[in-house]
Each structure stands twice: as C-alpha cells, then as structure tokens.
Amino acid sequence: MEAAIARGQGKSATGAALESVTLEVIMPPTVAMIIETETDNAKRTLSDLRYLVKSHGGNVTPTQYLFQKKGRVAFEKDERNLGIDDVLDEAIEAGAEDVETDEDDCIIVWTEPNKTISAAEALQKSHGLKIESSDIIWDANEDTKVSLESEDAVKSLSEFIDALQDNPQVQGVYANVAQGNLSEDLWGELQGRLDA
C-alpha cells in the first residue's frame, strides 16, 4: 500500500523520483508495440523488459511512427441516452478531434493530448455527463494495423502481455492489432489485456 501511495506521488517506495521510460518493440507475428513504464531505475527496467522481449521472440526497434498519441475520454451512459449528434458541437468547440460510441453506446471523445481535460470538463458542464475514464494513450494508425489470423498468435502475444503486466513498473501496453479471423471472445480477451 505504501508503494502505491508513493507511486501516486511520483516516487518509488524508497523515496527516489520516478521517471517515464518508453520501449518500442516488434513481437511475432510482426505486431508493433509501445510499452510505457515509470521507474526509479531506468537501466534496470529497460534491461528487464529487453530480456522479456527477446525471450518471447521479439525485437526492440522503433515503432512510434505506427501510432499517434491521443487523449481519450469515455463518458458513462445516462438515462437520457445522449448520442454523438447531441454532443458533437460542444465537443468540437472544446477541442475534440472525433466523437464515437462504444459497444455499450457510451460516448467516447478523442482529442489531442493537451486538450483531454478541457474537453472532458466542457462536456461534463454542458451536458451533465459523468466521466468514466480519461486517458492519454498510443492509438495505432488504422492503415498499419496487423490482422491476427490464428489462435497461436494470440496465445503467444497474450503470454507476453501477461508477463509485462507482472512487472510493477509497466504502466501501459499498446499494440497495432486488428481482429482478423479471430472469434469475438478471443478478440475481446486480447483487447482486455491492452490499454488501447
């Protein structure tokens, strides 16, 4: 518990300042990934992660150009069942780049990273919407996503992501994957492991 409180304050359990470190990798079958960490020892964390990447058949290589950093705000669904048309004008005025709904008809607003908070607050104020989550993420470019075609590919990728999530320094894992021929269940399971 003390470690979690310290991390929230930007420090490690020992009191050392944390720094953000990003690792870019390609994992079989040619899936680009970005791994974000917060650590008090960048060399140790990078060494641990590089070993993990290599042991799962991947390579450390630049992949950031396959992604865009974006702000994402998800609003809770309310009894009024507001849709995209109801919030679009205010969202654009507040700096939104795109507005969509998810499978539960919750409104999702995409912004530039520096406009995430202002867009969230504007829609919260103008429509009384409740914020479910607000993140700055790495969103894979649509034209560079890799379709996953086999359960084996998903299994090895899932094992790698699980191993990453076991590392307490890892804060976010992003991949440029698309559903391909995967079943809805398998695809949903994989998406649940990723942060985008």
Side-chain angles (χ1 to χ4, degrees), residues 144-160:
T144 62
K145 286 188 177 179
V146 176
S147 291
L148 297 175
E149 306 299 336
S150 73
E151 284 190 33
D152 290 342
V154 174
K155 185 176 182 226
S156 67
L157 205 52
S158 294
E159 286 172 1
F160 173 65

Side-chain angles (χ1 to χ4, degrees), residues 84-193:
I84 294 172
D85 295 337
D86 300 313
V87 300
L88 188 60
D89 291 340
E90 288 87 352
I92 290 172
E93 270 182 43
E97 292 182 347
D98 193 14
V99 179
E100 61 187 26
T101 55
D102 65 8
E103 61 276 356
D104 299 323
D105 288 328
C106 295
I107 295 171
I108 311 287
V109 176
W110 294 93
T111 69
E112 289 180 24
N114 63 344
K115 294 186 178 169
T116 307
I117 293 171
S118 62
E121 288 173 349
L123 288 176
Q124 194 175 23
K125 191 181 284 185
S126 66
H127 291 289
L129 294 172
K130 290 185 179 150
I131 299 170
E132 185 176 287
S133 66
S134 177
D135 308 293
I136 295 175
I137 64 163
W138 288 100
D139 187 39
N141 299 331
E142 282 299 320
D143 58 344
T144 62
K145 286 188 177 179
V146 176
S147 291
L148 297 175
E149 306 299 336
S150 73
E151 284 190 33
D152 290 342
V154 174
K155 185 176 182 226
S156 67
L157 205 52
S158 294
E159 286 172 1
F160 173 65
I161 295 167
D162 288 346
L164 283 175
Q165 301 291 10
D166 286 343
N167 185 321
Q169 279 77 39
V170 172
Q171 300 297 304
V173 180
Y174 308 93
N176 70 338
V177 290
Q179 185 171 356
N181 292 331
L182 301 180
S183 69
E184 288 295 329
D185 290 344
L186 204 56
W187 176 240
E189 216 175 282
L190 179 64
Q191 281 187 307
R193 286 179 161 87

